[in-house]
Amino acid sequence: MAAYENCYWLSADGLKLHYRFYPGDERLPPVLCLPGLTRNARDYDALAARLAGRRQVIAVDFRGRGKSEYAKDPMTYAPATYVADVQALLAERGIARVVAVGTSLGGIVTMLLAQAGAGIAAALLNDVGPEIEASGISRIRGYVGKGSSCPTWMHAARTLQDAHADVYPDWKIEDWLAMAKRVYRLNSSGRIVLDYDLKIAEPFKTPGNESGPDMWAALSALRAVPVLIVRGGRSDVLAQPVAERMLAALDQAELVTLPGVGHAPTLSEAALHDPIDRLLEKALS
């Protein structure tokens, strides 16, 4: 694991929000890592370790996740609020341009940030696009916000394996154990619980709240910058035809589909090393 500093910033409504800061070349746009709906900054450990020293990496815990405070109003668990939170972070650090890496919800936030005028030097959209498959939304709604408590880390790993074996069919138990350490936390009672506010599910239950009003318009804000579209070959969130439409709508896009992986790739896959490096080389300034 690469060395990092735990840092915090304040949202407009007064929440203390957390990110991990990994040092790197200060002359280059930092890599801004935005996680999925129920995930947190720990998802980007492997990517940050691979980029260590080359790029600054900022891995965000959205409000209600990881070390960030939980929202007083659960209806603020929505993409527009996450965009405002990230804008406040970039303003506080004086960052004008970033390479945005967004997985699932993080990719939606990336597109909305670009539409809002953020300086996006390049973007990686991980298994998400302007249209989300109904089957994927239904599956996610089926588990988000439902509490899970385990007595040991191995129990947590087995719980994840039972629920998501079709997403990562080739994973071994050590892979599931590593995921458990990213998804769960140890609470004050010694139980292992999900590391997010279960109330994030409340706005997600309302159709339309999972993304934004017109995500194709948001995607078009990335038209002129380098974009890497990553799709899991087994994904039920980003359909191949939608990924191909995204490719056609962008001037400098590359599409990489990972066979045998569902929603969402971890970005630590060896097949992504070269495409990610190519994306970063295009975002040198």
Side-chain angles (χ1 to χ4, degrees), residues 32-281:
L32 175 68
C33 296
L34 305 172
L37 179 67
T38 63
R39 310 302 284 271
N40 57 67
R42 299 195 296 278
D43 265 1
Y44 290 101
D45 283 349
L47 179 62
R50 206 172 72 77
L51 300 180
R54 289 193 285 158
R55 291 271 182 171
Q56 293 180 337
V57 177
I58 296 171
V60 170
D61 283 336
F62 286 134
R63 57 175 56 209
R65 285 84 161 173
K67 294 181 182 295
S68 286
E69 287 186 340
Y70 290 8
K72 300 173 182 66
D73 177 5
M75 295 312 290
T76 65
Y77 292 132
T81 310
Y82 304 138
V83 169
D85 290 345
V86 173
Q87 287 173 320
L89 167 60
L90 298 179
E92 180 175 299
R93 289 198 66 103
I95 296 172
R97 287 167 62 77
V98 297
V99 176
V101 177
T103 295
S104 196
L105 169 64
I108 290 169
V109 173
T110 295
M111 289 183 273
L112 292 173
L113 277 169
Q115 188 178 39
I120 307 292
L124 190 161
L125 301 177
N126 184 19
D127 212 56
V128 69
E131 296 178 23
I132 303 173
E133 293 298 285
S135 58
I137 292 176
S138 177
R139 179 179 61 80
I140 294 168
R141 285 199 176 115
Y143 70 76
V144 67
K146 294 184 177 178
S148 177
S149 172
C150 303
T152 70
W153 286 109
M154 188 57 69
H155 280 89
R158 292 297 187 191
T159 298
L160 288 172
Q161 184 179 29
D162 290 345
H164 304 293
D166 57 333
V167 176
Y168 308 107
D170 297 330
W171 275 19
K172 306 292 189 281
I173 189 59
E174 55 266 27
D175 299 310
W176 294 109
L177 188 58
M179 175 179 272
K181 296 292 182 70
R182 298 192 297 269
V183 172
Y184 290 89
R185 63 178 174 86
L186 189 66
N187 71 7
S188 58
S189 301
R191 297 287 295 184
I192 296 165
V193 297
L194 290 167
D195 197 10
Y196 68 87
D197 183 356
L198 299 182
K199 292 181 180 179
I200 67 171
E202 293 189 19
F204 192 71
K205 293 174 183 176
T206 304
N209 279 353
E210 62 275 355
S211 57
D214 183 357
M215 293 307 299
W216 282 105
L219 178 71
S220 69
L222 293 170
R223 181 173 180 177
V225 304
V227 177
L228 175 59
I229 304 162
V230 175
R231 178 179 178 271
R234 299 168 62 94
S235 177
D236 60 355
V237 169
L238 178 59
Q240 185 70 21
V242 174
E244 291 172 357
R245 282 181 60 195
M246 293 168 66
L247 186 65
L250 299 168
D251 293 342
Q252 303 180 62
E254 178 181 359
L255 170 62
V256 177
T257 298
L258 299 176
V261 178
H263 181 77
T266 65
L267 303 183
S268 63
E269 293 87 355
L272 292 177
H273 290 182
D274 287 346
I276 291 175
D277 286 347
R278 285 195 295 271
L279 182 74
L280 293 175
E281 287 182 10

